[in-house]
Amino acid sequence: MNEETREQLQQILRALKALDQSVRHAIRADATAGTGPMILRSYSSLQARAAERLPDDFFVCETLRLEPEADIDEQQLITQVSLACSQLAGYLESLLRARRRTQVDIDLEDIDFGEVSRNLRDTLVTQTRDTIRRAMSDIGIDLETSGSSGRRRRVVIVDADAEGDGESLAGSDLSGRDLGNENLAGRDLRGADLSGANLHDAVLAEADLRGARLSGAVLRGADLGEAQLGSADLTGADVGDANLADADLGEARLKGANFAGALLTDATLTGSDLSGARLSGADLRAADLSGADLSGASLHRANLREASLVEANLQSADIRSASFRGADLSGATLPNGQRYQDPADLEQFGAASSRKKAPLPPREE
């Protein structure tokens, strides 16, 4: 990749991130009506520009090219664009992070051969390390630390930029790792330890994270669309502004997690522990929260239209300005500990009115 192509891709990447951020803000503000075609045109233009500069890259040219059905619902269209935008941005970022090799003119008379020897040693070490990473992407090995203590620590080598059909990372120890912006779409991370890891803006779309440990992890802005997170532990994790549309979080431990502003449309959260979680401004339209524990959770201004909250526990939850229009709360426990009976029950706790307004009487002629 030459310098001109790199600069052009960086410009496209900045534009993609700006588009993705705008779409997410519009979704959170429920201000997307009529914007679907415009958002699709913007993404398609940026994808076409990236394809022109990477004509041999099948992922960019074919996989991430959007051709939605003519009768697709606008909300589904916008969700598809948001997901594709995040994937393309993450992929381009991984390409641009690749080590640049530059050529320099050398004047033999000015060479410090001691320095050359040290540089050659460092180069060999780096190349050997890279070779090991490629060959042993999910194998943990012991390496000596460079500190004065001389103690050894376990280092897990992961080729995080591998494509989704790469080797399994199930059970890997990735705790505390910096995986921000990494492309882990579709990867097998079942039972992996990602506690305390930095996954800020990472691409984890369709990844299998069932039973994974993500307590205290940073997933802010990450793309987890259609990811499988059943029985995963996200206790205290920061998942703010992340995309979890159609994700499966059934029976997940989400206690005290931050989902503020997250996109959770059509997500499955049945039986999950969301006690004390922050869901303020989250988009939970058509999400399944049946049997979920939302006690003490903040749902301030959350969008729960047409969501299922059957037998859900909302005791001590903050539901001010939250929208429950069309939601099913059969058998749900209200913030005061009483059983839900009628939409009016929610309004006493500050929820947005979900009752249809009575039609105006006909005007007398």
Side-chain angles (χ1 to χ4, degrees), residues 169-306:
L169 296 173
S172 297
D173 181 3
L174 302 170
S175 56
R177 286 287 301 274
D178 184 359
L179 298 169
N181 297 295
E182 292 290 356
N183 182 8
L184 294 163
R187 298 301 294 273
D188 184 355
L189 288 151
R190 286 173 296 173
D193 186 359
L194 289 150
S195 54
N198 174 28
L199 290 153
H200 195 294
D201 289 321
V203 179
L204 290 150
E206 300 182 13
D208 192 343
L209 289 146
R210 286 175 292 177
R213 284 172 285 174
L214 290 144
S215 56
V218 177
L219 292 139
R220 178 168 286 277
D223 181 4
L224 290 146
E226 298 184 47
Q228 299 181 58
L229 288 145
S231 300
D233 183 3
L234 285 91
T235 304
D238 184 358
V239 203
D241 296 318
N243 172 27
L244 292 116
D246 293 294
D248 185 353
L249 295 103
E251 304 293 335
R253 284 168 286 174
L254 311 170
K255 187 174 183 178
N258 174 29
F259 286 92
L263 180 64
L264 287 148
T265 52
D266 295 295
T268 300
L269 294 129
T270 52
S272 58
D273 181 3
L274 283 154
S275 56
R278 289 181 57 200
L279 291 149
S280 51
D283 190 344
L284 289 145
R285 282 174 297 171
D288 189 350
L289 290 141
S290 302
D293 183 2
L294 290 151
S295 58
S298 172
L299 290 158
H300 180 52
R301 298 187 64 184
N303 189 345
L304 291 133
R305 293 186 180 185
E306 299 182 2

Side-chain angles (χ1 to χ4, degrees), residues 54-99:
L54 298 168
D56 299 322
D57 194 311
F58 181 82
F59 188 65
V60 173
C61 298
E62 298 296 332
T63 305
L64 292 176
R65 184 176 60 189
L66 284 184
E67 295 180 348
E69 300 293 334
D71 58 347
I72 190 173
D73 177 78
E74 185 173 53
Q75 290 299 325
Q76 293 177 329
L77 171 63
I78 293 171
T79 300
Q80 284 186 14
V81 174
S82 179
L83 178 61
C85 197
S86 296
Q87 288 181 320
L88 181 54
Y91 184 69
L92 292 181
E93 210 154 33
S94 68
L95 289 179
L96 293 169
R97 275 199 306 272
R99 190 176 57 197

Side-chain angles (χ1 to χ4, degrees), residues 1-4 6 98-106 123 127:
M1 183 188 301
N2 59 38
E3 190 62 30
E4 181 180 0
R6 182 180 292 275
R99 190 176 57 197
R100 297 171 58 188
R101 293 180 173 84
T102 58
Q103 294 182 341
V104 297
D105 295 328
I106 299 175
T123 299
Q127 290 177 345

Side-chain angles (χ1 to χ4, degrees), residues 102-173:
T102 58
Q103 294 182 341
V104 297
D105 295 328
I106 299 175
D107 186 346
L108 293 178
E109 293 182 358
D110 295 331
I111 292 178
D112 180 343
F113 285 98
E115 183 67 22
V116 169
S117 177
R118 289 189 291 274
N119 289 340
L120 179 59
R121 178 199 62 196
D122 292 342
T123 299
L124 289 173
V125 169
T126 300
Q127 290 177 345
T128 301
R129 186 179 298 138
D130 289 344
T131 301
I132 293 173
R133 281 195 179 97
R134 288 191 295 269
M136 305 171 70
S137 64
D138 62 343
I139 298 176
I141 63 173
D142 286 324
L143 297 175
E144 289 189 10
T145 62
S146 58
S148 59
S149 64
R151 290 182 296 178
R152 301 169 74 86
R153 62 186 175 91
R154 184 169 178 78
V155 179
V156 178
I157 298 174
V158 178
D159 182 7
D161 291 328
E163 294 183 3
D165 58 355
E167 294 184 27
S168 170
L169 296 173
S172 297
D173 181 3

